[in-house]
Amino acid sequence: MSKKYEKPVIIKVDFTMASKYGSPLKTQKVRSEIDGVNVRNLVKEFGSPLFVFSERGIENKYNEFKEAFTSRYPDTQFFWSYKTNYLDAICKVFHKLGSKTEVVSEFEYEKARTLGIEGKDIIFNGPYKPKEALKKAVMEGAKIHIDHWYEINDLEEIADELGREIPVAIRCNMNTGIYPQWSRFGFNIDNGEALDAIKRIYEGKKLYMTGLHSHIGTFMLSAAAYGMEVKKLIELKNKIEEDFGYEIEYIDIGGGFASKNRLKGVYQAPEVIVPSADEYAEAVTNAIFENNKGKLPKLYLETGRALIDEAGYLLTSVWASKRMPDGKKSYIVDAGVNLLYTAFWYNFDISLDKRYEGLNEPSMINGPLCMNIDVIAENMMLPPLERGSVLSIWPVGAYTYTQSMQFIRYRPKVALIDKDSTPHLIREADDLEYVREKEIIPDFLK
Ligand SMILES: *Cc1c(COP(=O)(O)O)cnc(C)c1O
């Protein structure tokens, strides 16, 4: 093959290009296929941009975490955090694997019910549970996790309306040695608020405690923080069982385990700093065994990000390139921050569909939006790419699709590759009809 002529360029060494951990990647990263399916073929079949999920990827992660926990603590149950990714097909994959459901809104609750999940298999979390939705969830036997004092009153009213006592759990927050602390949600253990809330529930005689819950944050890089969380939950459990005669069936330790994504400003590789499933599980289960008195509780997990992030890819195609006044190369691709809101805090792993000839040079990757902030990667060493070169952005399985917005461009299709390497369409792209469906032009403008 003859080499293509490339105009020589002088590359300015800019301080963002290196850190104390070394200079940016000089070699090309190539991902030509996902689970055996060629990325160019995926784009040919479904269009570009395209979200792609791997069933195999989800299953492997789920089994890794399930194994890590159940081998140490058999009475463990996972509840899929819908907001992390509530595409029906993705939820179905998790349910097929044995995961139940965790929701934080009535919309997610209804979505789970539509997928055939029974109320008793749904945990209803969150600071905003409209009264009607709360009542429906209570009637259907959902696990209600109380976030604040108003909700205690709401539930007592519902108990009166239904003429029966309601089993509840409360969400707790506490210092786990991690800052900033997520103290906005639930009742604080350290200052006695959680115990006060339980006293209040006990004295009201309309609700009774069956569980304790906490979710200490997201992308938590410290396994020890979970040890601290569980120790405090179990100590509270011991105390209220003793003082009030409650039988606490379960503790729910929330989610927050990190994925192998790269947070901006964190230099070490994810492989170095992200704890393994075993490390998280060891911290959690040891804290139960070391502190529990009485009957061992069920252990519930609401892991979202760690189970799905690495199973998701966003394929995007190069549309154009230009040389900016400072000499840097810029590529315009068809996926922007409309689809990758999460680009504001992660440096994704971006790979090419094949090896390209030519010199790597510092390049910027910009989305299709007419907005200066539409930056997917600020500084990446890239060889000369052509119109139609396909980049795969990874890992984007967590929160990316659910936070994507219909802004300037339609949201694209989503595909799921099954375990036999067959891709399936799991969501159509938006279109004009879909976008306008709920709009109304009042008579005076007609
Ligand atoms: C978002 C959320 C989760 C899932 O968190 P991840 O960081 O994705 O694991 C679990 N529980 C609650 C209450 C949440 O709000």
Side-chain angles (χ1 to χ4, degrees), residues 267-285:
Y267 293 115
Q268 285 116 321
E271 293 71 30
V272 178
I273 51 167
V274 175
S276 65
D278 280 313
E279 287 170 304
Y280 285 125
E282 188 72 11
V284 168
T285 55

Side-chain angles (χ1 to χ4, degrees), residues 35 53-59 93 96 416-419:
D35 289 358
F53 289 92
S54 155
E55 184 190 16
R56 208 179 290 164
I58 296 172
E59 190 165 321
V93 171
K96 210 172 78 179
L416 172 70
I417 301 177
D418 70 18
K419 284 187 287 176

Side-chain angles (χ1 to χ4, degrees), residues 13-163:
V13 178
D14 134 353
F15 73 94
T16 59
M17 281 172 57
S19 75
K20 60 181 172 176
Y21 293 96
S23 55
L25 209 64
K26 296 265 169 40
T27 53
Q28 296 179 22
K29 268 198 167 173
V30 176
R31 177 180 283 114
S32 56
E33 51 181 49
I34 299 169
D35 289 358
V37 188
N38 183 279
V39 295
R40 283 217 178 214
N41 290 346
L42 281 166
V43 162
K44 215 176 284 164
E45 183 175 351
F46 299 103
S48 179
L50 177 70
F51 279 103
V52 181
F53 289 92
S54 155
E55 184 190 16
R56 208 179 290 164
I58 296 172
E59 190 165 321
N60 289 345
K61 262 288 146 164
Y62 181 83
N63 287 338
E64 181 186 333
F65 272 87
K66 188 179 166 200
E67 187 59 32
F69 278 89
T70 54
S71 62
R72 295 171 169 85
Y73 202 84
D75 208 355
T76 300
Q77 173 66 49
F78 286 80
F79 290 75
W80 175 238
S81 152
Y82 265 40
K83 76 172 185 295
T84 310
N85 190 321
Y86 44 58
L87 285 160
D88 282 352
I90 298 295
C91 294
K92 281 274 189 195
V93 171
F94 279 102
H95 296 321
K96 210 172 78 179
L97 290 168
S99 208
K100 296 180 178 180
T101 299
E102 186 267 342
V103 302
V104 290
S105 69
E106 69 274 30
F107 148 58
E108 291 176 3
Y109 185 88
E110 284 165 18
K111 210 164 192 282
R113 295 288 289 120
T114 309
L115 289 178
I117 305 301
E118 291 181 62
K120 69 175 176 44
D121 294 328
I122 303 176
I123 289 173
F124 196 177
N125 281 326
Y128 182 67
K129 305 183 188 81
K131 191 79 184 292
E132 276 314 300
L134 189 58
K135 186 171 176 183
K136 179 167 183 277
V138 168
M139 287 166 57
E140 293 181 344
K143 295 177 172 52
I144 310 291
H145 291 182
I146 302 175
D147 190 82
H148 48 71
W149 296 94
Y150 282 63
E151 210 171 287
I152 297 178
N153 293 339
D154 290 343
L155 283 161
E156 289 185 339
E157 280 174 28
I158 292 170
D160 282 340
E161 287 162 24
L162 299 179

Side-chain angles (χ1 to χ4, degrees), residues 249-365:
E249 283 168 36
Y250 67 89
I251 63 158
D252 175 351
I253 65 160
F257 300 150
S259 64
K260 301 253 158 40
N261 214 334
R262 198 181 283 264
L263 268 180
K264 285 189 176 171
V266 173
Y267 293 115
Q268 285 116 321
E271 293 71 30
V272 178
I273 51 167
V274 175
S276 65
D278 280 313
E279 287 170 304
Y280 285 125
E282 188 72 11
V284 168
T285 55
N286 279 348
I288 300 177
F289 293 129
E290 281 164 18
N291 297 287
N292 189 66
K293 290 185 192 147
K295 200 172 154 218
L296 284 169
K298 293 184 165 73
L299 173 62
Y300 290 170
L301 291 132
E302 305 167 345
T303 307
R305 179 191 304 282
L307 298 183
I308 184 78
D309 210 15
E310 292 148 55
Y313 305 78
L314 176 60
L315 303 184
T316 181
S317 306
V318 171
W319 182 248
S321 70
K322 48 172 79 168
R323 179 78 55 196
M324 293 191 289
D326 66 358
K328 199 193 255 181
K329 190 105 179 233
S330 153
Y331 286 102
I332 301 164
V333 300
D334 57 12
V337 294
N338 51 328
L339 305 181
L340 269 181
Y341 186 63
T342 44
F344 294 119
W345 46 93
Y346 291 107
N347 284 322
F348 297 106
D349 175 297
I350 301 176
S351 306
L352 310 172
D353 53 347
K354 60 171 192 185
R355 198 154 288 289
Y356 287 83
E357 287 296 324
L359 187 73
N360 280 356
E361 61 168 309
S363 309
M364 190 171 190
I365 303 179

